[in-house]
């Protein structure tokens, strides 16, 4: 799903306490997208990428960017969920990479499926927290997506049903 100007994206700064099984959202910002573009160069290849770079203003009045000047490249990470590093974080670590809350939520849900002792996500007041902004939520799979996005679990069920129907 493409990002749109005016869309509200929720970003989180998280602190993970593996020992106690708690992910604390230290900072939450709703960013309203003001500009989008594609074709920025890859960090190492210097070739234009087809991913969408974003610029916006947070509900804290500050500018936020997502790979506006270059797109980070790695063989193991697409950086699709991460925005540019900042130095205005909360808690002990002032440097942080804002993570889109939809991705953070879904990542923890996937991780929890593999864990015997489930991790929980809370805000700084120890209250459960979920993504805000222009989001859709699939209650069946507890999956968040940006407005207009598709639930991965529902998509996989549809593909499986179509495959079974074709074999019948």
């Amino acid at each position: 799903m493409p990002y749109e100007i005016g869309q509200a994206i929720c970003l989180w700064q998280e602190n993970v306490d593996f020992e106690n099984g708690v992910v604390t959202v230290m900072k939450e910002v709703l960013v309203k997208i003001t500009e989008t573009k594609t074709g920025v160069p890859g960090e190492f290849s210097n070739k234009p990428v087809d991913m969408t770079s974003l610029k916006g203003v947070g509900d804290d009045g500050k500018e936020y960017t997502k790979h506006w000047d270059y797109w980070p490249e790695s063989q193991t990470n697409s950086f699709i969920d991460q925005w540019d590093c900042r130095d205005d974080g909360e808690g002990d670590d002032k440097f942080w990479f804002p993570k889109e809350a939809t991705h953070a939520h879904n990542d923890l849900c996937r991780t929890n499926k593999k864990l015997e002792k489930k991790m929980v996500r809370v805000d700084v007041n120890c209250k459960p927290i979920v993504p805000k902004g222009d989001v859709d939520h699939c209650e069946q799979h507890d999956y968040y997506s940006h407005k207009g996005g598709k639930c991965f679990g529902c998509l996989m069920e549809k593909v499986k049903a179509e495959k079974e129907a074709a074999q019948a």
Side-chain angles (χ1 to χ4, degrees), residues 1-15:
M1 186 228 126
Y3 294 93
E4 298 176 357
I5 292 175
Q7 181 179 6
I9 305 292
C10 185
L11 303 179
W12 284 342
Q13 176 191 4
E14 296 179 312
N15 180 34

Side-chain angles (χ1 to χ4, degrees), residues 84-96:
D84 294 339
C85 186
R86 303 181 60 84
D87 64 359
D88 58 357
E90 298 294 327
D92 293 336
D93 196 359
K94 297 300 178 196
F95 288 95
W96 66 296

Side-chain angles (χ1 to χ4, degrees), residues 2-90:
Y3 294 93
E4 298 176 357
I5 292 175
Q7 181 179 6
I9 305 292
C10 185
L11 303 179
W12 284 342
Q13 176 191 4
E14 296 179 312
N15 180 34
V16 181
D17 179 350
F18 290 104
E19 187 174 323
N20 294 308
V22 178
V23 178
T24 304
V25 175
M26 303 298 294
K27 184 173 189 165
E28 178 180 62
V29 181
L30 281 176
V31 176
K32 184 172 256 186
I33 296 174
T34 57
E35 294 181 62
T36 67
K37 68 179 179 180
T38 57
V40 299
E43 180 179 20
F44 301 114
S45 69
N46 211 27
K47 294 179 181 174
V49 298
D50 61 358
M51 308 293 263
T52 304
S53 298
L54 306 173
K55 193 179 278 191
V57 177
D59 56 4
D60 58 0
K62 298 176 182 177
E63 182 179 80
Y64 287 78
T65 56
K66 180 178 182 177
H67 316 314
W68 194 253
D69 297 318
Y70 68 91
W71 198 276
E73 294 174 309
S74 166
Q75 292 180 334
T76 59
N77 188 351
S78 69
F79 299 99
I80 193 76
D81 58 355
Q82 181 179 297
W83 287 50
D84 294 339
C85 186
R86 303 181 60 84
D87 64 359
D88 58 357
E90 298 294 327

